[in-house]
Amino acid sequence: MKNFEHIKYTYKHRKIVMLLAEKYFKDNQELLEQVSVHDLDKMFMYLFYNKKDASNIHRDKTPHHENDLEKTELDYIEMVLDWESARYTKPDKPLNAYDTLVNYYPQMTDVILPILEQMGIAASGLEMDQKILEAAKELDNVSEKDVVSELVNTLELVTGVKVKQKVKKA
């Protein structure tokens, strides 16, 4: 499968963002529905584009990234969840959401800091949630079959058509 490692990483990242959303916003059904499709576009784009192009298109076209798109409160919350998830899924990016705000997006403090305060994570260097960290480690071994199943399920949901699933052994 083209770009499988990038698709696999995005699969893991999506799962961790969802776990964080469930931890901090379990009663916000609208947010949970929005987060359920977090970065799904990238998983599909990786099938056709190289990583750089897929990432650039994604960052330009999704409101949970800093760009010129109009954002809702839910988009900002999704942005925070995205930042917070990085330390669980990217060993080279150990910053939590607060440290990401302070170091990379200080111009967004007025809108992001209240969200961090609501979540109880408006501080530097907070320890990682052990349950989420364990889940992230378990997702390191996700298979191509798991990833393809996620893609097929999404296609079926969006199109309303059953897709025959054939997975070649990696």
Side-chain angles (χ1 to χ4, degrees):
M1 176 187 301
K2 180 177 180 168
N3 291 321
F4 176 67
E5 286 306 311
H6 300 305
I7 295 169
K8 177 181 171 180
Y9 167 77
T10 304
Y11 175 93
K12 176 181 178 179
H13 169 70
R14 285 174 31 74
K15 299 295 185 192
I16 297 306
V17 168
M18 192 67 193
L19 287 174
L20 289 165
E22 290 168 348
K23 175 182 178 176
Y24 293 108
F25 299 98
K26 65 181 176 194
D27 296 326
N28 188 333
Q29 193 58 39
E30 188 178 2
L31 175 68
L32 295 175
E33 287 176 19
Q34 179 168 321
V35 170
S36 73
V37 295
H38 178 83
D39 287 1
L40 198 52
D41 61 316
K42 276 175 47 176
M43 289 182 68
F44 283 98
M45 282 193 284
Y46 284 142
L47 295 171
F48 305 101
Y49 298 104
N50 64 42
K51 181 187 184 320
K52 182 180 177 186
D53 290 343
S55 294
N56 287 339
I57 293 167
H58 170 75
R59 292 184 67 76
D60 287 345
K61 303 293 181 191
T62 55
H64 71 268
H65 285 287
E66 187 184 37
N67 53 36
D68 293 333
L69 298 176
E70 186 176 329
K71 293 172 188 7
T72 67
E73 175 78 7
L74 296 181
D75 296 325
Y76 287 115
I77 293 170
E78 186 177 356
M79 184 183 292
V80 167
L81 294 168
D82 201 18
W83 295 349
E84 184 66 14
S85 73
R87 65 190 187 136
Y88 292 95
T89 59
K90 297 178 181 179
D92 61 324
K93 296 186 178 177
L95 300 181
N96 67 4
Y98 177 83
D99 291 327
T100 300
L101 171 66
V102 169
N103 287 287
Y104 295 102
Y105 304 100
Q107 71 280 10
M108 298 178 74
T109 299
D110 289 348
V111 68
I112 299 295
L113 190 57
I115 296 168
L116 295 172
E117 290 170 344
Q118 175 188 356
M119 295 169 69
I121 60 171
S124 183
L126 296 174
E127 289 191 30
M128 287 194 263
D129 180 298
Q130 288 304 307
K131 287 181 182 178
I132 294 175
L133 186 58
E134 288 172 20
K137 287 178 183 173
E138 288 177 20
L139 287 165
D140 284 339
N141 299 316
V142 67
S143 70
E144 185 171 334
K145 184 177 180 179
D146 294 329
V147 170
V148 169
S149 179
E150 175 111 342
L151 293 170
V152 168
N153 289 342
T154 300
L155 283 175
E156 290 178 348
L157 182 66
V158 170
T159 64
V161 176
K162 284 286 187 191
V163 178
K164 282 192 173 181
Q165 185 174 353
K166 294 182 180 180
V167 180
K168 293 180 183 177
K169 297 281 182 189

